[in-house]
């Protein structure tokens, strides 16, 4: 339910109070966390943007080792203003509406609503286009709106957004309550936490790749990444803890971690917790980290920290690196991180001969070739069918009984 109250404008703090009610509601339970740092890990001239983002935390944002952080993104306020001005002369970002929806019960400005709550610049679904078409008075445009091929073509050519569709088909002009009900809500995005709670109790660190996508008109940023890359120290983001999908190891468990790109994040959390254990005098088991990316000079993430640790903690930590686009094997082929698992002995020593844990984090193309290379390691590269069969069974047993855990996307 949406109505226009008599008030012409709200003070900023009134919008802020409504936002707190929205994000702190029982079904959301988000926290506004301050940005402590936002540092690019690659050179400005490089075409990929890995970042570490540190957020301040208190007891309201407590987490456990291996957890993820869900970030609630927001739209660009200037883009919201431009859209509202272009869409209708009847209202703008200052217009006050009284809401009883989405857990909001009270007055809020349209600028605030479209910035923090509604996914105005997301890709429109066919369901959205069908809803919008019910208000279309031009039959030819209505046919276009209901044509799935149009939606696919517009997405490829221009990166069509909900806002673009509303402006493109301006004769379909639903009443404001109907419009607000049609636009999807902004959804949070989860990022693996790269810090360890006992090692840095007052902050949370994320390792993020600022992802882009392309249409014919050029490069586009996703909503969350566009917000994250612009964050400045002192800004606040709405976020909440999400339980991790990987059960963290104890310090006395041998560990093999395999990660690609920003998939290094949960492995850094496990590693930092092990460093904390060492510093506190605990006995720790071996920890082998296999990390892969494209180019060593540009994408060796946490390079200084990892190289120093590999030098100073040789008795328990080993670092294996694969940079697929600037290092070739003896056969002239690219070397990927999963290949290193097959040609080194750590997996066999820590996972087969000892009851260690395997953690995998990367894209969906990683698990299958990694499993093949685990078999190579377990069988010591044997070509004997029985030995390969036994190694395969041992590898599969790890996944069945939870000693091998993965996060893939």
């Amino acid at each position: 339910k949406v109505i226009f109250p008599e008030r012409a404008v709200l003070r900023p703090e009134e919008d802020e109070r409504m936002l707190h009610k929205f994000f702190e509601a029982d079904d959301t339970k988000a926290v506004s966390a301050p940005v402590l740092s936002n540092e690019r890990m690659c050179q400005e001239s490089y075409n990929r943007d890995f970042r570490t983002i540190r957020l301040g935390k208190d007891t309201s944002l407590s987490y456990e080792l291996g957890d993820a952080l869900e970030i609630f993104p927001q739209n660009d306020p200037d883009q919201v203003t431009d859209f509202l001005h272009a869409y209708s002369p009847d209202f703008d970002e200052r217009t006050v509406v009284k809401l009883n929806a989405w857990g909001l019960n009270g007055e809020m400005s349209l600028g605030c609503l479209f910035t923090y709550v509604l996914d105005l610049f997301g890709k429109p679904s066919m369901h959205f286009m069908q809803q919008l078409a019910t208000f279309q008075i031009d039959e030819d445009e209505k046919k276009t709106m209901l044509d799935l091929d149009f939606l696919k073509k517009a997405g490829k050519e221009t990166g069509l957004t909900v806002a673009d569709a509303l402006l493109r088909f301006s004769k379909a002009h639903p009443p404001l309550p109907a419009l607000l009900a049609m636009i999807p809500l902004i959804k949070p995005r989860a990022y693996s936490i790269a810090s360890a709670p006992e090692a840095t109790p007052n902050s949370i660190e994320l390792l993020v790749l600022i992802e882009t996508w392309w249409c014919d008109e050029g490069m586009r940023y996703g909503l969350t990444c566009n917000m994250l890359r612009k964050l400045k120290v002192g800004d606040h983001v709405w976020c909440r803890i999400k339980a991790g999908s990987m059960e963290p190891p104890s310090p006395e468990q041998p560990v093999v971690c395999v990660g690609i790109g920003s998939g290094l994040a949960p492995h850094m959390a496990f590693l930092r917790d092990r460093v904390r254990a060492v510093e506190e005098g605990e006995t720790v088991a071996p920890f082998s980290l296999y990390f892969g990316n494209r180019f060593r000079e540009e994408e060796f993430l946490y390079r200084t920290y990892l190289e120093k640790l590999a030098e100073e903690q040789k008795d328990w930590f080993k670092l294996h690196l694969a940079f697929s686009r600037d290092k070739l094997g003896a056969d002239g082929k690219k070397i990927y991180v999963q290949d290193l698992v097959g040609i080194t002995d750590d997996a066999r020593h820590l996972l087969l001969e000892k009851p260690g844990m395997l953690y995998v984090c990367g894209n969906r193309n990683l698990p299958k070739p990694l499993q093949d290379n685990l078999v190579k390691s377990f069988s010591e590269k044997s070509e004997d069918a029985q030995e390969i069969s036994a190694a395969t069974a041992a590898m599969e047993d790890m996944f069945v009984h939870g000693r091998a855990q993965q996060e893939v996307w």
Side-chain angles (χ1 to χ4, degrees):
K1 183 179 179 180
V2 181
I3 62 174
F4 290 98
E6 294 182 0
R7 298 186 63 185
V9 67
L10 293 179
R11 297 187 302 273
E13 55 267 28
E14 292 178 289
D15 269 337
E16 188 70 22
R17 280 198 297 270
M18 282 292 288
L19 281 178
H20 276 265
K21 288 181 180 179
F22 174 69
F23 284 112
E24 294 171 358
D26 289 341
D27 58 347
T28 304
K29 294 184 177 178
V31 173
S32 179
V35 177
L36 302 181
S37 65
N38 184 2
E39 298 179 356
R40 185 173 178 137
M41 305 182 80
C42 307
Q43 296 181 2
E44 288 287 341
S45 59
Y46 188 58
N47 63 3
R48 293 220 292 174
D49 184 359
F50 287 94
R51 290 175 178 264
T52 56
I53 299 173
R54 290 175 55 247
L55 303 176
K57 66 171 288 291
D58 55 23
T59 55
S60 62
L61 204 58
S62 297
Y63 70 101
E64 297 182 1
L65 187 65
D67 281 349
L69 187 72
E70 287 191 321
I71 299 287
F72 287 83
Q74 67 179 66
N75 291 313
D76 186 310
D78 292 334
Q79 288 184 311
V80 168
T81 296
D82 291 342
F83 165 77
L84 290 172
H85 288 186
Y87 181 69
S88 174
D90 299 326
F91 48 78
D92 60 20
E93 73 280 5
R94 298 164 297 179
T95 301
V96 181
V97 291
K98 189 172 184 179
L99 300 163
N100 186 11
W102 316 301
L104 291 166
N105 188 1
E107 296 177 344
M108 177 180 276
S109 70
L110 283 183
C112 186
L113 182 63
F114 276 98
T115 297
Y116 290 95
V117 180
L118 300 179
D119 195 7
L120 181 62
F121 300 107
K123 296 180 181 180
S125 66
M126 195 63 209
H127 178 65
F128 171 82
M129 298 300 292
Q130 290 168 343
Q131 288 182 302
L132 184 61
T134 62
F135 298 94
Q136 180 58 263
I137 59 175
D138 186 307
E139 288 299 320
D140 290 335
E141 290 205 342
K142 187 173 185 177
K143 290 180 181 178
T144 301
M145 296 170 72
L146 297 176
D147 184 353
L148 182 58
D149 289 337
F150 162 77
L151 194 59
K152 293 178 178 178
K153 183 179 179 182
K156 178 181 180 298
E157 292 179 349
T158 68
L160 185 76
T161 67
V162 168
D164 294 333
L166 290 169
L167 295 175
R168 161 72 172 77
F169 299 104
S170 58
K171 293 179 183 178
H173 209 80
L176 184 61
L179 174 65
L180 299 183
M182 288 163 47
I183 300 176
L185 300 183
I186 292 174
K187 296 180 180 178
R189 179 172 176 183
Y191 294 90
S192 296
I193 295 175
S195 52
E198 293 186 38
T200 53
N202 297 318
S203 64
I204 291 178
E205 182 173 308
L206 304 178
L207 167 60
V208 175
L209 171 61
I210 302 299
E211 296 177 345
T212 57
W213 56 280
W214 290 82
C215 62
D216 293 347
E217 291 187 354
M219 187 179 73
R220 300 286 190 268
Y221 290 98
L223 175 60
T224 309
C225 285
N226 192 41
M227 182 193 80
L228 291 178
R229 72 188 182 96
K230 297 177 181 179
L231 288 176
K232 297 179 176 60
V233 175
D235 289 345
H236 282 69
V237 296
W238 287 100
C239 55
R240 65 185 178 192
I241 299 298
K242 179 182 179 182
S245 60
M246 299 192 295
E247 186 71 23
S250 61
E252 62 272 13
Q253 282 182 300
V255 168
V256 174
C257 287
V258 184
I260 297 174
S262 58
L264 180 60
H267 305 327
M268 288 299 299
F270 297 156
L271 180 58
R272 284 165 160 167
D273 188 67
R274 191 145 299 196
V275 170
R276 173 207 58 79
V278 170
E279 292 173 347
E280 294 179 2
E282 298 181 36
T283 300
V284 300
F287 190 116
S288 289
L289 172 61
Y290 290 82
F291 171 61
N293 227 341
R294 297 181 181 180
F295 300 100
R296 183 185 188 96
E297 289 304 313
E298 290 84 2
E299 297 186 357
F300 187 170
L301 309 179
Y302 294 102
R303 179 172 186 168
T304 301
Y305 178 87
L306 291 175
E307 286 185 333
K308 182 179 180 182
L309 195 65
E311 179 64 30
E312 295 180 352
Q313 303 292 340
K314 294 179 180 179
D315 55 332
W316 63 270
F317 177 61
K318 287 186 179 180
L319 177 63
H320 303 276
L321 302 167
F323 297 97
S324 61
R325 299 195 182 181
D326 64 7
K327 183 178 180 181
L328 300 178
D331 57 1
K333 295 182 179 179
K334 295 178 180 180
I335 297 179
Y336 294 94
V337 67
Q338 60 266 24
D339 300 327
L340 292 183
V341 174
I343 61 178
T344 55
D345 298 324
D346 293 24
R348 185 176 73 258
H349 292 329
L350 302 184
L351 302 177
L352 184 65
E353 298 170 3
K354 297 179 180 179
M357 293 290 296
L358 170 67
Y359 297 96
V360 183
C361 192
N363 64 50
R364 68 188 67 180
N365 298 319
L366 176 60
K368 181 57 172 68
L370 174 61
Q371 291 170 10
D372 294 339
N373 278 282
L374 283 170
V375 172
K376 288 182 181 179
S377 177
F378 287 2
S379 66
E380 299 186 61
K381 307 176 192 68
S382 173
E383 296 183 2
D384 181 82
Q386 287 187 332
E387 292 182 352
I388 293 174
S389 178
T392 301
M395 178 274 293
E396 292 174 346
D397 183 78
M398 289 185 57
F399 283 87
V400 170
H401 292 94
R403 287 182 49 227
Q405 301 184 23
Q406 59 188 30
E407 285 184 356
V408 296
W409 56 87

